[in-house]
């Protein structure tokens, strides 16, 4: 057992949120009961996750996508009212870490996705060094973007959208989990053969064809499923808490 503030301190010490310029507040977003015995981790603080955490008798929820983002209008109505009502009525703490959870060198989303895909990390690129550079850990090369996409589909258990580059062997790979379409040009500049992220927007298909770098959109949710449970399990072991990851499927 621990208390709400010790748990916050453990997450902050591990993830160092002060190092990032982020799109929302990192840390304790909604205050619940003081004593914490059980944490539920998940990708997004959706109503489905909150309801599942209530069912699992959690004292705290740990997520990558919290409730509050820059640019929201701030009204507590509709879906926001319902999510907050459930958290407050059941006295559950909500902890959310966005970019710090992407970036942690061993437990974060990028580190965990790289491990899941058998990629060895060799460097970083892009704004705030959030993008990762590497290569297949076993030294192999993929024949082309399609071959890499099949391997990623196997590992993640979902379809991948791929736009081929120059249809040559792929050795150098860059990746950044979630909605990191905007990092593609920096990945191209870093000299990779392929770039993996969660989503694709219209311009990236053209950049892939014109610059000869394969682009793989592996799912925003699917690419960010691994950091939250890794961090929550680590902190739960450290503080003697029970931890459970709850997957709420998302096709996006
Ligand atoms: Zn995300």
């Amino acid at each position: 057992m621990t208390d709400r503030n010790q748990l916050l301190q453990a997450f902050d010490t591990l993830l160092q949120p002060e190092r990032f310029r982020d799109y929302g507040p990192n840390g304790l977003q909604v205050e619940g009961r003081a004593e914490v015995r059980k944490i539920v981790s998940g990708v997004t603080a959706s109503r489905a996750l909150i309801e599942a955490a209530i069912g699992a008798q959690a004292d705290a929820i740990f997520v990558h996508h919290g409730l509050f983002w820059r640019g929201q209008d701030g009204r507590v109505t509709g879906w926001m009212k319902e999510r907050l009502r459930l958290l407050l009525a059941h006295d559950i703490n909500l902890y959310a870490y966005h970019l710090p959870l992407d970036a942690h060198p061993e437990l974060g989303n990028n580190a965990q996705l790289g491990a899941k895909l058998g990629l060895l990390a060799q460097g970083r690129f892009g704004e705030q060094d959030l993008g990762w550079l590497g290569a297949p850990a076993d030294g192999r090369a993929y024949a082309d973007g399609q071959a890499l996409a099949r391997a990623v589909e196997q590992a993640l258990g979902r379809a991948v959208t791929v736009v081929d580059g120059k249809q040559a062997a792929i050795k150098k790979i860059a990746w950044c989990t979630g909605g990191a379409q905007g990092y593609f040009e920096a990945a191209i500049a870093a000299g990779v053969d392929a770039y993996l992220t969660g989503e694709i927007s219209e311009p990236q298909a053209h950049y892939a064809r014109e610059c000869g770098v394969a682009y793989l959109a592996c799912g925003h949710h699917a690419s960010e499923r691994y950091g939250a449970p890794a961090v929550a399990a680590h902190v739960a072991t450290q503080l003697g808490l029970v931890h459970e990851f709850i997957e709420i499927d998302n096709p996006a």
Side-chain angles (χ1 to χ4, degrees):
M1 196 184 77
T2 188
D3 71 64
R4 186 209 298 132
N5 292 325
Q6 272 185 312
L7 184 55
L8 175 62
Q9 228 166 48
F11 285 134
D12 277 350
T13 302
L14 189 68
L15 299 173
Q16 302 177 1
E18 67 284 354
R19 290 178 44 228
F20 298 87
R21 295 184 305 281
D22 214 330
Y23 306 96
N26 288 299
L28 182 62
Q29 288 199 343
V30 179
E31 188 176 301
R33 63 181 65 103
E35 289 184 353
V36 178
R37 286 181 180 79
K38 178 165 185 180
I39 316 175
V40 156
S41 66
V43 179
T44 299
S46 61
R47 192 171 88 191
L49 180 69
I50 295 166
E51 285 170 344
I54 293 165
Q57 298 188 302
D59 306 300
I61 300 175
F62 177 82
V63 292
H64 181 48
H65 302 134
L67 290 183
F68 309 111
W69 302 98
R70 215 192 287 153
Q72 279 170 334
D73 76 2
R75 276 177 275 214
V76 181
T77 55
W79 59 268
M80 178 65 93
K81 178 229 170 182
E82 194 53 23
R83 292 184 194 184
L84 278 172
R85 184 187 70 76
L86 287 167
L87 286 169
L88 295 171
H90 293 269
D91 216 10
I92 296 179
N93 296 283
L94 176 67
Y95 298 87
Y97 289 81
H98 184 237
L99 298 182
L101 182 59
D102 289 322
H104 189 276
E106 288 98 35
L107 302 171
N109 281 324
N110 282 301
Q112 294 286 316
L113 181 70
K116 185 89 187 159
L117 301 180
L119 299 173
L120 181 69
Q122 295 165 328
R124 305 287 170 89
F125 76 97
E127 208 208 320
Q128 299 192 64
D129 262 355
L130 288 166
W132 287 45
L133 298 167
D138 58 9
R140 68 188 280 192
Y142 290 97
D144 55 18
Q146 298 292 337
L148 174 59
R150 298 296 89 78
V152 173
E153 286 178 340
Q154 274 282 313
L156 300 187
R158 60 154 285 151
V160 161
T161 300
V162 57
V163 183
D164 261 320
K166 55 183 174 295
Q167 295 187 312
I170 288 175
K171 288 184 196 142
K172 286 193 213 164
I173 299 172
W175 68 97
C176 191
T177 61
Q181 295 97 312
Y183 276 62
F184 189 33
E185 286 164 277
I188 293 168
V192 297
D193 305 311
Y195 175 63
L196 281 77
T197 185
E199 303 180 16
I200 184 165
S201 300
E202 198 271 352
Q204 284 85 43
H206 301 292
Y207 302 157
R209 292 171 188 149
E210 292 167 25
C211 302
V213 178
Y215 189 101
L216 283 79
C218 313
H220 188 135
H221 172 87
S223 68
E224 297 195 319
R225 263 186 308 211
Y226 307 106
V231 165
H234 178 90
V235 168
T237 303
Q238 192 185 326
L239 298 176
L241 306 173
V242 177
H243 164 246
E244 181 184 346
F245 171 66
I246 297 182
E247 162 77 340
I248 306 290
D249 188 40
N250 188 329

